[in-house]
Amino acid sequence: MSDERRREPPGELRGDAYRDPGLVAALAGRVRAAASELGRPLKLMHICGTHEHALGRYALRDLLPPELSLLAGPGCPVCVCDSALIDAAVRLALRPGVVVASFGDMLAVPGSLPLRGEGKGDVRMSLESARAQGGEVRAVTSVFEAGRLAAENPESEVVFFSVGFETTVVATAALLRRDPPPNLSILEANYYTPPATAMLPSLPGFDVDGLLLPGHATAVTGTGVYDGLPALGISCAVAGFEPADILAAVSAVLRQLLEGRPRIDNAYPRVVSRQGNPRALAELAEVFEAAPRRWRGIADIDASGFDLRPAYRQRSARARFPDAFTAEGASAREHPAGCRCAEVTLGQVTPDACALFGGRCTPDNPYGPCMVSHEGTCRAWQQYGMARGRIAVRTA
Amino acid sequence: MCLGIACEVVQVEDRDACLLRVGNGVQRCFTGLVEPLARGDWVLMHAGFAVQRISPAEARANLELVHRAALLQEEARAPSRSPGPPPGADGQDDP
Amino acid sequence: MSHYETIRLSHGSGGRLTAELVRDVFLAAFASEPLAALTDAAILESPGGRLAFTTDAHSVTPWRFPGGDIGRLAVAGTVNDLAVMGARPRYLSAAFLLEEGFRLDDLAEVAGSMRRTADEAGVAIVAGDTKVVERGKGDGIYIATAGVGWLPEGRDIGPHRLTAGDVLLVNGTLGDHGMAVMAARQGLDPSGSLRSDVMPLASLVEALLRAAPGTRFLRDLTRGGLAAVANEMVAGRPLGLRVFDARVPLSADVMEIGEMLGIDPLLTANEGKLLAAVPAEEADAALAALRAHPAGRRAAVIGDLLVEPAGLALVETAYGSRRVLEMPVEEQLPRIC
């Protein structure tokens, strides 16, 4: 490979084609024109923490017309992760002979186990605090890294804290199908978004005109899993993650509203199709089955999580270490008192509606999961200053 | 929900693993969930694995779609190699 | 003479083994007169005038990373702390906290690295100490340094001089060090193309100050990256700070690995980069001087100081939209979302 010089790939394959300022400005213009033609307040929602980060990082809401609001819906698999699962991970980390391997996203999120002696009041244990107490926790960037960790440490039990949505769980399935080391087990904590999204229209006060669908989750599942939404009158467009991708999807939704014909448009066809990734879905179906999950602070939702099938159950941390898990039905504390993370997650309020936001609850002193987690809406809002609206400057 | 980057395959190691160009270096990527790849193919990588292959045709169609949405007529024209926009390139998915 | 391969507890106990260690590793590498005298303190010539004095502690895992090691980091970091005050660095001390079991040839490598970096920077290591802690009670090697330098007459560089309208420059690509170390720690860079930028900047600063004597403020960008310094500069002051993100130099590696892992180069550590605030009329001269220097080839103007919003650091995108540039809260970890 040393003779390989970095060739410039064709423009359409490069991310920066979708960051081009001229293209973004033109798309923003089209969005403003369509919104003006519709002539009424418009409410759109996305359901992906990575979309909220893109909106923040590029300050894309500055480019949208004031009558168009784009809300963050349930898009943070870390924020909705049942605190009982975090508690199990903490107990496992503190158990001699066990190493918990986790994506970095999860490490600072508190569960419900009290942290004694911290002197800061009502602090609960996270994997980070477990590590500070001598627990074995390793940050990994993929499930395959957890597999390598297990191979390199045959005398330890390695538990992979499998969090993330449908995009990520397929990798866990793929690894388990390929005979990983016997000392690797999985703490099943993946969530499946479509049932939660399907629940949104039934919530009181739901008045969203259109939805941006998550581009990488639908790359796996295909767009068909959202077919129920246009039937409810919700215009949908699959959105990628570059500025032009997001604005093109917004534009597609507005066009649907102008035509009065809700449907699912695919504004990210280079990666997303109607059928998704059949190979990934097949491997997923072989290893996991749909299961109910508690969405932290929100609800127990059927078929919104993934349990290992019987043939793979010996890979389940719940089966290997049952005493690390809270008994079924035992109450696990949800969000701390006064925390509005549930409403923020559902897109019912923006973070600045919460009395704690930016005061008692900040990134360096977070109160609830939406601020602790990097992909939480509250964290993104605080990080990028999104509650300020357009930032005016005065030069010398 | 999904950080992912589009990368080029620089070396196929086996059915399940490829080396992808990232920056001026490479990253190992699990590729067992996409079709067999060849050097020069592009994939979307997330959390250490390839989620989907990015075909040049679809990539071209995507850029045309986005340019059309922006009403930038020059870029919306199909490149000379292909006979015209692929079906469905206007972004409409039949529900 | 004993021949050990690894550090023992007795290497730190002040007896024969300590003396051998000092002689065979540290004196051999650092070769400075004050050190060779082996007295309890170094007696040094002083040119008089204002003294700049700094101290630093260094802990990095892994201790050797692409582009450098903890030794180079220790010397460059201390030199840079002095240089960005406008001082000319002269003398360093280095205290080593070694974990029992640390390899002697690794220690020699670290010492050699310190010597080379000191020579690059024109400083001498004139005092030192060594302690050894039990296996399991250290992280291989920690180094604590102190450094002194002298401020030429008339130099007045510091945050009190920051003025709205000043232009902000950096001397090259950002995020290199933090990304290289993180990748090395996570085993994420099989081709080793990510390299730390660790480098002493004393001569770069001199070149800059010659060309732009009105330079108001300098700060080396270390932990917390550009974002940390930007926020420190405006906190509690009637000034805002604006970074144009399209103008920030980034290597292709840092950019794409940052995208892959959700790590923002503006919040990522550097060890060979500084931020300069210069009066607008001196910006061109400052940029030319930086680019003419080997440590500044990719220098760029990246932003400016504002009257408002006071106390805020912000990023203006290529689209004209604006977002806050946050004060980093904790070390960035690779993410999937």
Side-chain angles (χ1 to χ4, degrees), chain C residues 45-66:
Chain C
E45 288 303 318
S46 152
R50 292 171 301 161
L51 182 82
F53 179 43
T54 188
T55 188
D56 232 337
H58 309 274
S59 146
V60 60
T61 306
W63 67 263
R64 187 204 289 123
F65 42 84

Side-chain angles (χ1 to χ4, degrees), chain C residues 32-181:
Chain C
S32 70
E33 262 184 52
L35 208 56
L38 288 177
T39 47
D40 281 346
I43 306 295
L44 306 166
E45 288 303 318
S46 152
R50 292 171 301 161
L51 182 82
F53 179 43
T54 188
T55 188
D56 232 337
H58 309 274
S59 146
V60 60
T61 306
W63 67 263
R64 187 204 289 123
F65 42 84
D69 60 28
I70 190 174
R72 183 166 176 75
L73 196 65
V75 172
T78 310
V79 162
N80 294 346
D81 280 347
L82 295 167
V84 297
M85 299 305 296
R88 296 197 172 122
R90 288 293 311 279
Y91 304 116
L92 256 56
S93 71
F96 296 84
L97 211 64
L98 303 170
E99 185 185 4
E100 185 186 10
F102 193 75
R103 293 189 55 85
L104 271 163
D105 49 14
D106 288 344
L107 184 61
E109 187 180 322
V110 170
S113 192
M114 293 175 77
R115 169 57 187 278
R116 275 190 303 281
T117 310
D119 286 349
E120 254 178 80
V123 301
I125 299 170
V126 299
D129 190 39
T130 310
K131 293 290 183 297
V132 179
V133 293
E134 281 173 25
R135 192 182 296 270
K137 301 239 164 117
D139 207 0
I141 175 171
Y142 299 133
I143 306 178
T145 49
V148 298
W150 274 267
L151 266 162
E153 265 312 307
R155 270 198 195 159
D156 180 24
I157 293 169
H160 58 283
R161 296 204 50 226
L162 291 170
T163 308
D166 286 349
V167 169
L168 302 173
L169 301 98
V170 293
N171 62 306
T173 57
L174 299 189
D176 298 2
H177 175 78
M179 209 70 82
V181 170

Side-chain angles (χ1 to χ4, degrees), chain A residues 17-347:
Chain A
Y18 297 90
R19 292 193 286 267
D20 175 70
L23 177 59
V24 168
L27 284 165
R30 297 306 309 153
V31 166
R32 279 193 296 274
S36 176
E37 203 181 323
L38 283 162
R40 60 176 170 85
L42 298 161
K43 200 179 267 187
L44 269 52
M45 179 185 277
H46 69 74
I47 50 171
C48 179
T50 312
H51 272 144
E52 189 64 13
H53 264 277
L55 290 171
R57 172 190 177 179
Y58 295 107
L60 293 179
R61 287 191 176 98
D62 276 8
L63 306 179
L64 299 177
E67 64 270 29
L68 196 165
S69 62
L70 176 48
L71 307 170
C76 171
V78 167
C79 304
V80 300
C81 184
D82 186 357
S83 51
L85 296 174
I86 300 174
D87 296 343
V90 166
R91 290 192 193 97
L92 288 167
L94 290 169
R95 192 172 164 133
V98 177
V99 178
V100 171
S102 171
F103 295 127
D105 317 56
M106 268 327 278
L107 296 190
V109 183
S112 71
L113 296 174
L115 179 61
R116 293 192 217 312
E118 264 296 300
K120 276 171 73 174
D122 199 18
V123 184
R124 303 297 166 128
M125 287 199 72
S126 64
L127 282 173
E128 242 169 36
S129 46
R131 179 160 54 196
Q133 290 186 4
E136 287 253 41
V137 178
R138 292 277 285 269
V140 294
T141 59
S142 75
V143 63
F144 306 101
E145 206 180 319
R148 285 193 291 277
L149 192 63
E152 288 156 13
N153 296 279
E155 73 293 346
S156 296
E157 279 286 322
V158 174
V159 176
F160 175 64
F161 194 9
S162 189
V163 297
F165 283 132
E166 50 269 28
T167 330
T168 323
V169 66
V170 294
T172 304
L175 178 62
L176 291 181
R177 284 189 74 250
R178 284 158 177 81
D179 208 24
N183 55 324
L184 177 75
S185 61
I186 304 297
L187 204 174
E188 301 134 286
N190 290 101
Y191 282 71
Y192 184 52
T193 334
T197 311
M199 192 190 77
L200 294 175
S202 61
L203 295 174
F206 183 84
D207 58 350
V208 169
D209 298 297
L211 224 57
L212 297 190
L213 299 178
H216 294 158
T218 50
V220 171
T221 62
T223 58
V225 297
Y226 290 104
D227 278 347
L229 293 171
L232 296 172
I234 300 168
S235 302
C236 302
V238 181
F241 297 89
E242 301 292 357
D245 290 321
I246 294 172
L247 290 174
V250 170
S251 179
V253 168
L254 297 189
R255 197 165 58 231
Q256 291 181 37
L257 292 174
L258 282 166
E259 294 173 13
R261 193 161 70 90
R263 56 189 183 266
I264 299 177
D265 280 336
N266 182 3
Y268 195 27
R270 63 190 186 274
V271 158
V272 178
S273 64
R274 187 157 170 77
Q275 74 270 23
N277 182 333
R279 186 176 276 104
L281 294 173
E283 297 209 12
L284 175 66
E286 189 192 304
V287 177
F288 287 99
E289 59 194 8
R293 279 289 180 274
R294 173 159 297 173
W295 288 57
R296 187 170 185 170
I298 296 171
D300 291 349
I301 304 181
D302 284 340
S304 68
F306 304 93
D307 278 352
L308 288 167
R309 289 191 185 275
Y312 289 90
R313 202 143 292 153
Q314 14 77 29
R315 291 289 185 180
S316 165
R318 189 185 284 271
R320 268 190 213 191
F321 312 101
D323 50 316
F325 288 76
T326 326
E328 287 302 339
S331 68
R333 216 184 59 128
E334 298 302 358
H335 299 307
C339 174
R340 299 184 75 178
C341 184
E343 292 165 89
V344 170
T345 301
L346 292 172

Side-chain angles (χ1 to χ4, degrees), chain C residues 190-231:
Chain C
S191 58
S193 63
L194 279 171
R195 297 179 72 74
S196 168
D197 59 344
V198 54
M199 180 163 324
L201 298 176
S203 66
L204 178 82
V205 168
E206 287 300 318
L208 172 64
L209 294 179
R210 261 195 308 276
T215 295
R216 312 257 218 229
F217 172 91
L218 296 169
R219 183 68 60 85
D220 59 335
L221 304 174
T222 55
R223 285 171 309 175
L226 175 68
V229 168
N231 277 279

Side-chain angles (χ1 to χ4, degrees), chain A residues 4 7 9 18 30 48 50 142 144 165 167-168 178 214 216 219 263-266 268-271 277 279, chain B residues 1-2 8 16 21 24 30 32-35 39 42 44 46-47 49 51-52 62-63 69 71 91-93:
Chain A
E4 190 83 8
R7 293 170 284 121
Y18 297 90
R30 297 306 309 153
C48 179
T50 312
S142 75
F144 306 101
F165 283 132
T167 330
T168 323
R178 284 158 177 81
H216 294 158
R263 56 189 183 266
I264 299 177
D265 280 336
N266 182 3
Y268 195 27
R270 63 190 186 274
V271 158
N277 182 333
R279 186 176 276 104
Chain B
M1 194 150 83
C2 311
E8 182 182 2
D16 280 350
R21 169 81 68 214
N24 291 314
F30 176 83
L33 292 177
V34 293
E35 62 264 46
R39 199 164 121 170
W42 281 69
L44 178 78
H46 160 72
F49 72 102
V51 171
Q52 190 64 273
N62 200 147
L63 197 58
L71 289 184
Q92 309 281 353
D93 243 354

